[in-house]
Amino acid sequence: MAAKPTMLTAEGLKKLEDELVFLQNVKRKEIAEKIKVARSFGDLSENSEYDDAKNEQAIMEARINTIEAILKTAVLIDESETSNERVHLTSVVKIEMLSTGRQVQYKIVGSGSNEANPKEGKISDESPIGAALMDKSVGDVVEVETPGGIVGIKILEITK
C-alpha cells in the first residue's frame, strides 16, 4: 500500500528540512561526543551517562527517520490556487463558539506535517474542529464532538 501523502505548506516544509539538517549535522555530533566522553568513564554496564546518551541517540535517530518519511511523501500546497469560498488546507478561519460567543482564529494545516499547534492558532485538518470545518463556507454552523462534549461553531470569515 502506498504511503498517504503529507500535505505541507511552504513554511511547514522549510521547518522540517531545517530540523533534519540540524539533527543530522549538529545533534548527531553532539551526541557522538557525549557517548565518547561517557565511554571514557569506564565500565559501560553501570554507566548512566552512557545509557542516557545512547537513549538520546535512539530518540534522535527515530526523529530523523520520521522526518525523512514525511519528506518522501510530502506534497506542497500551492496557496495561490486556493480561494476563500470554502475552508481548505492553509485557510485561516475565524470562528465563533456558539455556547460562549468566544471568537477564535485558526489556520488549517496538514495532519502529518507536525505544523499543528493550537496555542499558535494552527490546527490539523484531521482534528475534530479542523475536520468539521473542511469544505464549509462563511455562515455555516457545524457541530463538533470534542472531549468536552458537542460544541456548535459558526464560521465568520475565511482568508488565505
Side-chain angles (χ1 to χ4, degrees):
M1 183 169 97
K4 177 182 170 191
T6 304
M7 306 302 288
L8 293 173
T9 62
E11 174 187 356
L13 179 64
K14 173 105 173 75
K15 282 173 74 173
L16 283 174
E17 290 171 340
D18 290 349
E19 182 181 357
L20 183 61
V21 166
F22 171 77
L23 291 174
Q24 291 174 327
N25 298 328
V26 177
K27 198 68 175 169
R28 264 188 183 151
K29 289 177 185 168
E30 289 175 3
I31 293 173
E33 186 60 30
K34 283 183 185 179
I35 291 170
K36 181 180 173 186
V37 169
R39 275 192 174 142
S40 71
F41 296 153
D43 185 9
L44 297 182
S45 65
E46 294 182 19
N47 187 330
S48 64
E49 288 87 358
Y50 178 78
D51 291 340
D52 290 346
K54 290 299 280 184
N55 286 336
E56 186 179 356
Q57 181 184 43
I59 291 168
M60 181 208 53
E61 291 298 335
R63 179 64 183 151
I64 288 172
N65 290 337
T66 299
I67 293 171
E68 288 175 339
I70 289 170
L71 293 176
K72 282 180 185 172
T73 63
V75 175
L76 192 61
I77 301 165
D78 186 353
E79 295 184 55
S80 67
E81 294 181 5
T82 59
S83 74
N84 296 342
E85 300 291 316
R86 296 194 166 285
V87 177
H88 52 79
L89 285 171
T90 74
S91 288
V92 176
V93 185
K94 186 174 184 180
I95 59 173
E96 178 182 353
M97 305 295 185
L98 296 178
S99 60
T100 63
R102 185 171 146 244
Q103 294 184 4
V104 185
Q105 185 167 291
Y106 290 117
K107 180 172 185 171
I108 309 295
V109 297
S111 60
S113 65
N114 291 347
E115 287 183 82
N117 185 338
K119 290 179 183 177
E120 292 179 5
K122 296 177 181 180
I123 60 173
S124 162
D125 62 324
E126 293 182 3
S127 68
I129 293 175
L133 294 174
M134 292 299 288
D135 208 35
K136 301 295 187 285
S137 301
V138 172
D140 286 353
V141 175
V142 295
E143 288 190 343
V144 181
E145 188 169 340
T146 67
I150 295 179
V151 178
I153 296 175
K154 182 176 183 177
I155 299 174
L156 303 176
E157 184 179 355
I158 302 169
T159 57
K160 287 189 188 183

